[in-house]
């Protein structure tokens, strides 16, 4: 695994769909399947990139890993403004801030290795700790659904210790 780049991102306006789920009852496929038909109807898109966001309960945080903990996942696209929101879609404002950005290569089945590296190896050895903000993946030009050559950016919210 690679050393991440550390980047500060501004607040982002996003339009998409959301579902509450747990890691045990993962509804990611269902969420993206329901979002994709709306993609072309979203006005004021900044790019063709798609964003997958995980919003964890502030009280529970991300510490004390619990696969049954509920969180909200969004399938979304970034927009310049919320004008002309298509019916059936919601809006969400990502807080922005300091992030460690990793590249995940491979299929969703390979994600446990990436997360193990981030949270089990890199984070404990870094001068950062997890911050209680949104986690997200940026699905850009190199993203290919379920393809072993797929690449996506994994953005992990951090703050200096």
């Amino acid at each position: 695994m690679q050393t991440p780049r550390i980047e500060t991102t501004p607040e982002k306006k996003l339009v998409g769909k959301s579902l509450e789920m747990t890691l045990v009852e993962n509804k990611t496929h269902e969420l993206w399947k329901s979002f994709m038909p709306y993609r072309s109807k979203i006005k004021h898109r900044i790019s063709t990139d798609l964003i997958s966001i995980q919003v964890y309960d502030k009280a529970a945080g991300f510490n004390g890993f619990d696969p049954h903990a509920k969180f909200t996942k969004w399938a979304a696209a970034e927009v310049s403004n919320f004008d002309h929101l298509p019916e059936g879609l919601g809006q969400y404002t990502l807080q922005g801030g300091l992030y460690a950005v990793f590249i995940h290569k491979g299929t969703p089945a390979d994600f446990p290795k990436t997360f193990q590296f981030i949270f089990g190896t890199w984070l404990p050895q870094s001068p950062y700790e997890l911050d209680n903000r949104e986690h997200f993946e940026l699905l850009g030009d190199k993203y290919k659904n379920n393809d072993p050559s797929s690449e996506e950016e994994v953005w992990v919210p951090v703050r200096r210790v």
Side-chain angles (χ1 to χ4, degrees):
M1 279 271 145
Q2 82 290 0
T3 301
R5 73 179 191 268
I6 304 298
E7 188 170 321
T8 300
T9 189
E11 182 177 278
K12 295 179 181 292
K13 291 178 174 62
L14 304 167
V15 170
K17 287 190 151 226
S18 66
L19 269 179
E20 189 175 83
M21 63 183 76
T22 68
L23 290 176
V24 172
E25 295 176 39
N26 192 326
K27 300 176 186 173
T28 300
H29 179 74
E30 176 186 332
L31 173 64
W32 280 96
K33 189 175 177 183
S34 71
F35 168 74
M36 292 308 273
Y38 289 91
R39 206 172 35 161
S40 62
K41 298 174 182 163
I42 299 172
K43 307 286 184 205
H44 312 295
R45 285 188 62 178
I46 288 177
S47 73
T48 57
D49 296 346
L50 297 174
I51 300 176
S52 177
I53 310 158
Q54 293 75 234
V55 182
Y56 298 96
D57 181 355
K58 297 276 188 234
F62 197 71
N63 299 324
F65 179 74
D66 176 3
H68 298 279
K70 290 183 179 178
F71 62 93
T72 302
K73 182 172 259 197
W74 281 82
E78 187 176 0
V79 296
S80 57
N81 64 66
F82 291 129
D83 295 344
H84 310 293
L85 191 67
E87 191 166 333
L89 295 183
Q91 64 186 49
Y92 184 83
T93 303
L94 184 93
Q95 296 177 53
L98 192 65
Y99 281 85
V101 184
F102 298 84
I103 303 297
H104 169 71
K105 294 181 181 179
T107 67
D110 300 320
F111 251 107
K113 285 186 266 179
T114 299
F115 283 124
Q116 178 58 42
F117 171 76
I118 294 169
F119 298 107
T121 303
W122 180 81
L123 192 61
Q125 297 172 5
S126 78
Y128 299 96
E129 63 185 4
L130 203 56
D131 199 0
N132 201 354
R133 290 178 284 117
E134 304 96 330
H135 296 237
F136 67 95
E137 292 81 47
L138 184 66
L139 313 177
D141 294 342
K142 294 182 180 179
Y143 177 77
K144 301 174 189 92
N145 191 25
N146 285 322
D147 186 315
S149 67
S150 181
E151 289 186 25
E152 61 191 271
E153 293 183 350
V154 178
W155 291 61
V156 178
V158 294
R159 63 178 172 246
R160 281 209 167 268
V161 175

